[in-house]
Amino acid sequence: MYVYDFDQADSNDTARLGGKGAGLARMTAIGLPVPLGFTISTEVCRAVLDGDGLDDAVWGEIVAAISRLEERTGRRLGTDSGTPLLLSVRSGGAISMPGMMDTVLNLGLNDRVVPALAEWSDNEHFAWDAYRRFVQTYADVVLGVDGARFEQILTTLRAETGAADDSALAARDLETVTRQFQDHVITSGASISDDPMVQLRSAIEAVFTSWNNPRAIHYRSISGIPEDMGTACTVQMMVFGDLGKDSGTGVCFTRDPSTGQRIPYGDYLPRAQGEDVVAGIRNTLSLDSLASQHPAVKDQLDELIETLEQTYTDMCDIEFTVEKGRLWVLQARAGKRTAAAALRIASEMVDEGLIDRNTALLRIDPASLDQLLHPSVDDDAEGHHPLAVGLNASPGSAVGAAVFSADTALEWSMTGEPLILCRRETNPADIHGMTVAAGILTSHGGKTSHAAVVARGMGIPAVTGVADLEIDEDRRTLT
C-alpha cells in the first residue's frame, strides 16, 4: 500500500508519510478541522527519482483515493456543474525544508470548470484568480515554463489599472491575465491538459522530482539532511481564503520563535491564499487583526494552538485558512526557532510539565548556541536614528554591502566581504544567496514569510516588511 487517507494513516510513521502527512493524520485523529485528503508515501518518491515514474499499481491507488475523496466531500473533480473539487498537491519530507520543494494549488481547473466555480462561489473574481494561479504554478512547477514572464504580465496590468496588488484587480482583468498566461505557455512550446487526472498525475511526479531541484539539494547540504530520504506527497481538498471579506489565510507559531515568549506569533492576510503569506508578496496583518475581524475564529484558533502544543509537546508552526468564517488547519509541525527561543521554550516546557529535562537538553543544538553571541543594535546609543522600521523577523545585527540578487551574493561572498541581501521579498530560489549573507532585508513580507522563517532557522539577522523601503532589483538601488 502506497496511498493513505489521512484518517487511515499511522501518524507516527514520518519516514513513510513525511512530516506533513504524519501531521495531517495526527490532527485528523484528534478531531481538528482538516480538509480531507491523502498522502502518497516516500517509497513512491524514490521510485520516481529512479526513473520509474508512477507505476500502474500506485496510480490505481491514487484513482481510488480520488473517488473516495469525491464521495466524502460531495464535490467532483473536473465538473462543469455542481460543486467542483479542486486540489492542492504538496511535498513533505520527514525533516522540514520550508519552501525548498514544489507545490501546485487549485488543480482541476480548465475553461469548463471556471464558470461552475464562479457559480458555486458567487464570485467571478475568485474563480478567475484561482484559474490564474493554477496556470501560473502548474506551468512553472510541472512544465518548466519561465516564470518571469508571468510576473511581467501581472506587473504591467497592475500599473495600467492602478491596482496596488493582485487582489485589487477586477474579474475581467484576471481573465485577461489568465489568457495571456495561457498564450505564454503555448509560445514556450508547452500545454496544460484539460483533463484533471492528467494534471494530477503530472503534478504528483513534479512534486516528487522537486526533491532534487537545486535549492532543495543546497538546503539539505547545509542542514545535514540525508539525500536518500525522499519526500511524501499530500493531495488535499482545497479550501479558500480568498472568497471574500469573511475569508483569509494565516501562519502562526504557538510561541514567539525569536524570543520563545509564550504568546501566539504570526500573520493573517484577508482575501488571500496561503502562498501569499509565505511568499511575502503582500504585507500582512497581525493576529490581533484576525481577532477584531473574526473574534469567534480567533477564539477557535487559540484553542487549536493549545491542543497542538499539548499533542506535539513542542512549539508548533501552523498554517490555517478561514473560508467564509470557518477555520481550517492545513499543517502543523515543530517550528523553527532561534537559539535564544529554543533555550527559553525548552526550559519553560519543563516547568509546565510538557517535557522532561532530558528531552529539553536534546532539543538544543549545541552549534546554534553561537547565535547567542551575535551582536545587537543598542537602541539607546547616541546618534541612533533609524531610517525606516520593519519587522524583527530574526534577531541580531549585521553590517555589509547591499546586494540585490542571490547570485550576486554568492559571487561576492568569495571575497570575504560581508553582505546584506536586499530583496522586495525572498523566495526559495534565493537560498544560496541567503546562506552567505550577513543579514537579510526585505520591503515586503511578514513575520512568517519565507525570509523570516529561513533566516531564523539559520541564525541570520533579518528585517522584513519595511514598508517605507523601495528596492529596485533591476537598477540595484535601495531608497
Side-chain angles (χ1 to χ4, degrees):
M1 185 171 178
Y2 300 101
V3 178
Y4 301 86
D5 291 351
F6 296 156
D7 57 358
Q8 297 175 338
D10 179 359
S11 62
N12 295 311
D13 195 355
T14 55
R16 184 183 299 269
L17 301 175
K20 183 182 275 92
L24 290 165
R26 182 174 294 114
M27 290 190 294
T28 299
I30 62 177
L32 297 186
V34 176
L36 295 172
F38 55 89
T39 300
I40 309 165
S41 75
T42 55
E43 297 163 277
V44 180
C45 175
R46 291 189 286 271
V48 169
L49 294 177
D50 286 340
D52 298 333
L54 287 175
D55 68 26
D56 290 342
V58 174
W59 181 243
E61 289 189 30
I62 293 169
V63 171
I66 290 294
S67 295
R68 293 194 299 273
L69 187 57
E70 289 180 325
E71 183 177 350
R72 296 176 69 180
T73 62
R75 304 181 181 192
R76 292 290 179 267
L77 190 63
T79 186
D80 57 5
S81 62
T83 304
L85 173 65
L86 301 188
L87 301 172
S88 66
V89 184
R90 300 174 183 266
S91 61
I95 300 173
S96 176
M97 295 168 52
M100 296 303 123
M101 291 177 287
D102 289 327
T103 293
V104 178
L105 302 179
N106 303 303
L107 187 142
L109 281 171
N110 56 39
D111 284 2
R112 297 187 309 276
V113 176
V114 170
L117 187 66
E119 184 177 355
W120 167 77
S121 63
D122 192 26
N123 189 331
E124 192 176 9
H125 179 282
F126 156 74
W128 280 106
D129 191 45
Y131 198 15
R132 184 273 303 177
R133 291 172 185 264
F134 168 67
V135 172
Q136 184 173 0
T137 58
Y138 187 91
D140 178 24
V141 170
V142 179
L143 304 177
V145 174
D146 177 22
R149 177 58 184 151
F150 294 132
E151 291 303 326
Q152 291 171 359
I153 292 170
L154 277 169
T155 300
T156 299
L157 188 60
R158 284 194 299 263
E160 290 174 351
T161 60
D165 54 54
D166 298 342
S167 66
L169 293 170
R172 63 180 180 276
D173 297 327
L174 292 167
E175 181 178 1
T176 298
V177 165
T178 304
R179 298 310 185 198
Q180 290 178 356
F181 281 8
Q182 291 171 322
D183 290 342
H184 174 51
V185 172
I186 292 170
T187 57
S188 300
S191 64
I192 300 175
S193 173
D194 283 345
D195 185 339
M197 295 304 286
V198 174
Q199 296 174 5
L200 179 61
R201 187 165 191 159
S202 299
I204 291 169
E205 291 180 341
V207 165
F208 280 139
T209 56
S210 72
W211 174 261
N212 277 340
N213 70 37
R215 63 182 185 270
I217 292 172
H218 182 79
Y219 188 89
R220 288 197 297 275
S221 174
I222 62 177
S223 303
I225 299 173
E227 290 289 330
D228 59 355
M229 295 179 72
T231 180
C233 176
T234 61
V235 177
Q236 192 171 18
M237 178 187 80
M238 286 288 299
V239 290
F240 304 102
D242 50 350
L243 279 174
K245 294 180 179 179
D246 56 355
S247 301
T249 188
V251 176
C252 72
F253 293 80
T254 56
R255 305 191 187 208
D256 189 323
S258 294
T259 67
Q261 186 178 2
R262 192 181 181 185
I263 54 171
Y265 174 104
D267 297 316
Y268 178 70
L269 197 54
R271 300 185 67 174
Q273 289 197 7
E275 296 299 298
D276 299 338
V277 176
V278 295
I281 56 177
R282 290 166 56 190
N283 284 338
T284 55
L285 305 177
S286 69
L287 293 180
D288 291 338
S289 297
L290 174 61
S292 63
Q293 294 179 27
H294 308 291
V297 172
K298 179 58 166 60
D299 289 343
Q300 189 180 358
L301 180 63
D302 289 340
E303 292 177 9
L304 189 145
I305 284 170
E306 184 65 27
T307 299
L308 285 171
E309 276 216 348
Q310 293 293 325
T311 301
Y312 279 80
T313 64
D314 201 353
M315 180 196 82
C316 293
D317 171 359
I318 304 167
E319 295 180 15
F320 66 92
T321 287
V322 181
E323 183 186 76
K324 293 188 175 181
R326 181 178 181 182
L327 178 67
W328 295 93
V329 58
L330 308 181
Q331 176 169 287
R333 59 189 174 190
K336 295 191 179 297
R337 65 208 75 179
T338 65
L343 284 169
R344 178 170 178 175
I345 291 168
S347 175
E348 291 187 355
M349 284 190 168
V350 170
D351 294 339
E352 295 162 16
L354 279 178
I355 59 176
D356 59 28
R357 290 170 62 88
N358 287 338
T359 301
L361 286 170
L362 291 172
R363 285 191 179 168
I364 308 301
D365 175 14
S368 72
L369 297 179
D370 176 64
Q371 293 179 29
L372 299 177
L373 305 178
H374 282 185
S376 59
V377 173
D378 180 1
D379 290 334
D380 298 324
E382 185 177 352
H384 175 72
H385 300 295
L387 294 174
V389 176
L391 300 171
N392 53 335
S394 183
S397 65
V399 176
V403 295
F404 297 89
S405 77
D407 290 342
T408 303
L410 185 61
E411 180 184 350
W412 284 21
S413 69
M414 305 301 180
T415 68
E417 181 180 10
L419 309 167
I420 307 297
L421 180 61
C422 305
R423 302 281 283 161
R424 188 177 188 272
E425 71 273 345
T426 67
N427 62 63
D430 293 324
I431 186 65
H432 58 294
M434 298 174 74
T435 56
V436 298
I440 297 168
L441 176 66
T442 72
S443 58
H444 287 67
K447 296 177 287 187
T448 60
S449 63
H450 176 266
V453 171
V454 173
R456 271 196 300 272
M458 294 183 174
I460 301 170
V463 179
T464 62
V466 184
D468 291 333
L469 189 64
E470 286 189 19
I471 294 177
D472 188 326
E473 295 165 1
D474 295 327
R475 294 185 176 183
R476 295 177 295 175
T477 62
L478 181 155
T479 306

